[in-house]
Amino acid sequence: MRFSVYQVSRKGGREKNEDRMGYSYTRDSGLFALADGMGGHPEGEVASQLALQTMSALFQRDAKPTLADPLTFLNQAIMAGHQQLLRYSAQKALGDTPRTTIVACLLQGDSAYWAHCGDSRLYVVRGDKLVARTRDHSYSELQDALHSVVALRERLNRNVLFTCLGSPSKPVIDTAGPFTMQGGDRLMLCSDGLWGTVTDASITEQLALHAITESVPELVEQALRNGGPKCDNVSVMAVEWEASEVASGAAGVSTQALGEEVFASTIQASVLGHDATDDLDDAEIERSIKEINDAIRRSSAPKKS
C-alpha cells in the first residue's frame, strides 16, 4: 500500500486546541482519524485524544494485517471510544462527560471505508470533482435535507449537533463503503473549523489543483483569515492514494517492507500522563464491545405487549 499524507492543526482564536488527529497502518491497511473535542463540556482535548487512542488500539489488535470487516470495525471502534469516555467520566467523578465528534477512514486493498459521528467531515476529490462528502449530524444539515420536501422558515445554528461521543444517548454513527479508489484520489478529513468558513467549492478546487502539501496549508490559512480573531480550531489531514501495491519511484509512505505483525502509528499513546491502552487489554475490549452489541440488540428487539 502506498499513500501520501499531510496534516495541519491550528488553534485559531480559541484558548486551547481540542482537535486531535493521526493515522495508523499495517502492511495492507491504513486508518486515518480526526476528532474535535466539544466546547461547553469538560476536557474536550481528553475526549478527542481518548477516542483516537481507543480506535488505534483496536486497529493494532485486529489488523493482522487486514481487517475482516472494515465497516463493522469502524462502528465498533467508535462505539468503544464512546464507552471509554463514559468510563473516564465516572472514574473522575465529573459532573458532565467529555464529548467529541469523530471521522475515520480505512484504506484497504483498493477500497476506502469511512464512518463519522458529529460534524467532522470527510471529502473525496477525484480529478476536479467532489465525489463524496459526509453529512453532518447537525440540525442545520437535517434542515437542508428536508428543505426540498417542506419549506422551513427558521434557520438553525449549524453548531447544534444531535449526536456525538460521550453523550448520554447512544451515538449515531454513519458508515460508507467500500468506495473503489483510483490513483490520484484525494481524501480529506477536517474539523468544522475548516468547512465552517471555507466552501466545499473552494476545498474541491484547492485539492484538485495543488499537491496536498500545498493545498492543505492554504485551506487552513483561508479558514483562519475568514474566521477572524475568534476563529475555531482548524485541523485538516489529507491523503493522496497512490496504489494498493507499491509503484517503484513514487513518493509517499510505502508499507511494503512491513511484516504481518508490524504496526505503525502517529496517534499518541498517552493523554495527561495516562496510558489509555492500560485499560484496553483484550478482555476489557471484548467486554466493552459485548456490552455495546447487547445494548443494540435490546434496543432493536420488539417490545412485548
Side-chain angles (χ1 to χ4, degrees):
M1 190 171 64
R2 185 179 282 276
F3 58 88
S4 298
V5 60
Y6 192 85
Q7 54 188 356
V8 176
S9 185
R10 298 278 296 277
K11 185 164 66 75
R14 297 298 172 90
E15 189 174 322
K16 55 186 175 181
N17 191 343
E18 297 181 321
D19 295 351
R20 297 291 184 271
M21 59 185 167
Y23 57 98
S24 307
Y25 57 92
T26 66
R27 188 185 65 194
D28 297 319
S29 187
L31 169 70
F32 305 84
L34 181 148
D36 180 356
M38 295 178 65
H41 303 279
E43 303 186 31
E45 71 282 5
V46 174
S48 54
Q49 183 66 39
L50 190 53
L52 292 197
Q53 287 175 215
T54 303
M55 179 168 279
S56 181
L58 289 169
F59 180 78
Q60 181 175 8
R61 186 198 69 172
D62 291 348
K64 300 295 184 180
T66 60
L67 296 162
D69 188 336
L71 291 180
T72 296
F73 169 82
L74 286 169
N75 188 78
Q76 291 185 341
I78 291 175
M79 288 294 287
H82 169 70
Q83 192 77 5
Q84 286 295 104
L85 289 177
L86 298 182
R87 288 177 179 169
Y88 176 86
S89 179
Q91 289 168 359
K92 297 291 184 179
L94 300 177
D96 188 14
T97 304
R99 304 186 191 190
T100 186
T101 67
I102 190 167
V103 59
C105 178
L106 278 166
L107 293 176
Q108 187 166 287
D110 286 320
S111 297
Y113 309 79
W114 57 82
H116 79 291
C117 178
D119 63 354
S120 292
R121 289 183 180 178
L122 176 141
Y123 292 78
V124 183
V125 173
R126 174 172 293 165
D128 61 354
K129 305 294 184 185
L130 177 63
V131 294
R133 173 173 82 74
T134 53
R135 295 297 167 185
D136 311 328
H137 294 135
S138 66
Y139 290 104
S140 63
E141 185 97 323
L142 183 62
Q143 184 183 53
D144 289 342
L146 292 173
H147 186 71
S148 60
V149 180
V150 57
L152 301 172
R153 294 181 182 176
E154 184 180 358
R155 291 300 302 169
L156 299 172
N157 188 333
R158 71 168 180 84
N159 294 315
V160 180
L161 306 181
F162 58 78
T163 191
C164 64
L165 302 193
S167 62
S169 57
K170 183 168 73 73
V172 174
I173 302 169
D174 285 345
T175 59
F179 175 88
T180 302
M181 299 290 288
Q182 297 180 8
D185 283 354
R186 289 165 185 186
L187 292 158
M188 189 187 78
L189 287 68
C190 67
S191 62
D192 67 330
L194 180 80
W195 64 257
T197 62
V198 180
T199 65
D200 287 0
S202 295
I203 290 170
T204 302
E205 181 181 20
Q206 280 294 326
L207 290 174
L209 293 178
H210 306 288
I212 58 174
T213 53
E214 299 175 13
S215 59
V216 169
E218 174 56 29
L219 286 169
V220 170
E221 289 303 320
Q222 282 186 31
L224 293 171
R225 289 194 301 269
N226 295 344
K230 296 184 179 180
C231 183
D232 195 359
N233 306 148
V234 182
S235 297
V236 183
M237 176 164 54
V239 181
E240 181 172 347
W241 176 248
E242 296 181 17
S244 57
E245 297 178 356
V246 172
S248 60
V253 176
S254 169
T255 65
Q256 186 183 40
L258 295 179
E260 289 199 5
E261 299 300 320
V262 178
F263 166 84
S265 181
T266 66
I267 297 173
Q268 296 175 1
S270 63
V271 55
L272 299 183
H274 170 70
D275 188 348
T277 59
D278 289 345
D279 297 329
L280 281 171
D281 58 29
D282 282 355
E284 181 68 16
I285 291 169
E286 293 297 340
R287 281 196 299 272
S288 178
I289 292 174
K290 184 178 184 301
E291 289 172 6
I292 292 164
N293 288 337
D294 287 346
I296 293 171
R297 279 193 292 271
R298 285 196 300 271
S299 65
S300 60
K303 293 181 171 58
K304 295 181 180 179
S305 55

